[in-house]
Amino acid sequence: MAIPMSGDKAAIRNWTRAQSRLGRQAARPVMIFGLLSSLAGVGQAWCIASLLGHALMGLDDTAQTVTSFPLWPIGGFAVLALTRAACMMASDTAAAKAGIAARGRLRQHALNAILVGGPALLRRVQSGALATTAVDRIEALDGFFARWLPASVLWIAAPLCILIAVCSVSPQAALILGLCGLTVPFCQALFGIGAAVASRNQFLAMTRLQARFLDRVKGIATIVLAGRTEDETQRLASAAEELRIRTMKVLRVAFLSSASIDCAMAVALIVLAILTGKHALALTTHATPLLLEATLTHGLFVLLVVPEFFAPLRSLALAYQDKAHAQGTATAMLDLPTAPEKAEVEAARTVSASGVMITLDTVSFTWDPARGPALENVSFAVPAGETLILAGSSGSGKSTIIELLLGFITPESGKILLNGAPLETIVPDALARMISWIGQKPVLFAGTVRENILFAAPHADEESLQAAIKASAVEEFLPLLPHGLETQIGEGGFGLSGGQAQRIAIARAYLKNAPILLLDEPTAHLDPATEKSVFESLQRLAVKKTVVLATHSAAAHIFHGRRIDLQHGRVVARQGAAALT
């Protein structure tokens, strides 16, 4: 699985561009309705200008009363106001739908990537950071798809249409308005660089705080027992203070960016007001009333349309931070595993026989270089349908072999083969279908006993379910439960004994019926009588399966098969034909 480097700026740009291409298709209605709204605003400005111009020219010099004026500006303004309200409502609805669709697509991609990475991903990325990526970072992209993408088009299209309308009545005013508008992108570029950096740093600080808080909550019992509550409280306070400082920096840059637009708009209004006033005064002495009214109407229209001209530019400035969020999200998304290549998928499909042979060829792995290798040149082969017992004390490397076979970690040297196919070429989904795993403490969810057993095969029929219950000896304790299979249990198997929980895990494995069975100390915390019973159930489950059993229990003699003894990551003894063939 290729993992792009999060610091690769080219990869971040490519990801952002790809999302922009996908997002613009959904945001096209937002752009259309936004442009129609701006044009309706221009029409409203013309209606108001016509009404005011006629009213000013209709003032009687002696009575100071207003003569009759046409009703079309009032009716036109009302119609355009309703049209604009409808366009804005449609635009907001379309923007919300575009944001929801894009976030749903990205969240599904992130969850699939996390599932592809599996527990191996958690060894290099904190669970809190993954949760932040899947929830907060993707949620923050709502503005990118709903606001930034439409604004990145409207900030050019809408002002250009408005300039055309202004140019039709006053080319000089259009030139002034255009020059003032051109200053805005330069100011945005100047402040935008600082805003992007500040926003990324702020989001990084928030991610660190969220990840730290989540991980500390998960380990709160250990923190309390170790007497480190005060230290962790201070670290959380420091992370929160860092977030506060970075958030204020973002706001400071954002205010400066907004002020640049206000200054440009103020300059445009002042210059255009002076220009309009000069033209009106020049015409008062010799112009006809009709020409003077037209001049006043045009001047008022130009002044009234200035806020409409700068509105798309202001929207772009407000949405610029959403673009920075997209770049920050790209860094996190590119750190997630990618899907395997097509060739790998086809290679994995060849490992679908009824029996699977497992081979380790001079495999080595190290968790911590300071502690030495966990495995060193370990080699063995387990033919299809046979059992291998990994024996040894705690820390000898048994669980490391199980994790290697599960694909949670990869060997530093050597090869792991399943029916001759390298393990790393097998698609994680295919590998998961091939393997059943039972550990020291099974993972049970809050729900009924039936739901926990069917978790391995949700579509299994009742006959298969009952067969699994009988084979795993779950039926022995079902009468003791208040509602049998429908009895509710808590998270982690709360309400069940260790042996009962283990039998539910065995029932799952029966339903899954995978050709490989990995057992990692499945009876570590059980009393001798329960341990013997569980081993008997596991022995029935292991029939016609390739089994790797990691244990130091003396009761494992019930399994007849090959055996290797491990010590400090090395094979020190073999029984049966467990050598590499």
Side-chain angles (χ1 to χ4, degrees), residues 86-319:
C87 288
M88 293 175 67
M89 182 175 67
S91 176
D92 289 344
T93 303
K97 290 181 179 178
I100 291 171
R103 283 178 287 143
R105 171 174 54 81
L106 287 173
R107 188 165 283 122
Q108 185 63 49
H109 171 76
L111 292 176
N112 289 341
I114 291 172
L115 291 175
V116 165
L121 185 61
L122 296 175
R123 300 196 182 280
R124 63 179 183 83
V125 184
Q126 287 182 313
S127 59
L130 290 176
T132 300
T133 298
V135 179
D136 294 324
R137 288 211 168 193
I138 291 178
E139 194 67 26
L141 288 180
D142 178 62
F144 177 77
F145 293 102
R147 293 187 294 273
W148 166 257
L149 291 181
S152 65
V153 174
L154 288 175
W155 82 277
I156 295 178
L160 186 60
C161 292
I162 294 172
L163 279 180
I164 293 173
V166 173
C167 187
S168 65
V169 299
S170 175
Q172 188 177 8
L175 178 61
I176 294 171
L177 192 59
L179 290 176
C180 291
L182 285 176
T183 63
V184 174
F186 291 104
C187 293
Q188 292 303 306
L190 178 63
F191 294 116
I193 297 173
V197 174
S199 180
R200 285 196 294 269
N201 290 337
Q202 185 259 357
F203 213 91
L204 180 61
M206 184 174 67
T207 300
R208 283 199 293 260
L209 176 60
Q210 291 172 326
R212 177 179 289 274
F213 185 77
L214 178 60
D215 289 337
R216 293 326 183 256
V217 168
K218 290 169 61 178
I220 192 168
T222 303
I223 293 172
V224 172
L225 292 174
R228 302 297 299 275
T229 54
E230 186 64 30
D231 294 339
E232 291 302 327
T233 301
Q234 292 177 0
R235 290 191 178 96
L236 286 173
S238 299
E241 179 64 15
E242 180 189 5
L243 177 61
R244 184 193 68 81
I245 293 173
R246 295 190 183 279
T247 301
M248 296 308 296
K249 288 182 179 179
V250 172
L251 293 176
R252 182 174 60 197
V253 177
F255 288 146
L256 290 174
S257 176
S258 178
S260 66
I261 298 177
D262 293 334
C263 291
M265 186 171 67
V267 170
L269 282 171
I270 293 171
V271 174
L272 291 174
I274 294 173
L275 181 65
T276 301
K278 285 184 177 181
H279 284 175
L281 288 174
L283 293 172
T284 52
T285 57
H286 61 276
T288 63
L290 188 61
L291 180 59
L292 185 57
E293 180 180 346
T295 301
L296 284 174
T297 300
H298 293 169
L300 289 170
F301 168 72
V302 169
L303 292 174
L304 290 171
V305 87
V306 169
E308 199 67 45
F309 176 83
F310 283 94
L313 300 174
R314 189 182 299 277
S315 297
L316 180 73
L318 293 174

Side-chain angles (χ1 to χ4, degrees), residues 353-358 381-389 418-419 432-438 456 467-468 471-472 505-519 537-549 559-562:
S354 57
V356 179
M357 178 178 181
I358 300 174
V382 189
E386 296 196 17
T387 297
L388 172 67
I389 300 174
L418 300 183
N419 275 1
R433 289 191 296 270
M434 294 166 55
I435 296 176
S436 292
W437 169 81
I438 301 176
S472 60
I506 296 172
R508 281 181 184 169
Y510 268 107
L511 274 183
K512 188 174 183 181
N513 196 29
I516 298 176
L517 178 61
L518 303 181
L519 305 174
S537 298
L538 289 173
Q539 189 181 30
R540 292 192 294 270
L541 174 62
V543 174
K544 296 183 180 180
K545 292 180 174 59
T546 305
V547 181
V548 177
L549 169 62
F559 283 87
H560 301 288
R562 304 158 187 256

Side-chain angles (χ1 to χ4, degrees), residues 39-52:
L39 294 177
V42 173
Q44 287 180 293
W46 179 257
C47 291
I48 296 174
S50 299
L51 185 63
L52 291 177

Side-chain angles (χ1 to χ4, degrees), residues 558-581:
I558 195 172
F559 283 87
H560 301 288
R562 304 158 187 256
R563 174 188 173 109
I564 63 173
D565 293 303
L566 297 169
Q567 187 175 0
H568 302 302
R570 296 183 179 182
V571 177
V572 295
R574 299 176 185 268
Q575 295 180 17
L580 179 63
T581 58

Side-chain angles (χ1 to χ4, degrees), residues 361-366 372-379 396-397 400-401 404 412-413 566-572 574:
D361 184 2
T362 60
V363 169
S364 299
F365 183 82
T366 301
L375 294 176
E376 187 174 358
N377 297 325
V378 173
S379 300
S396 60
T400 301
I401 291 176
L404 285 166
E412 295 174 351
S413 62
L566 297 169
Q567 187 175 0
H568 302 302
R570 296 183 179 182
V571 177
V572 295
R574 299 176 185 268

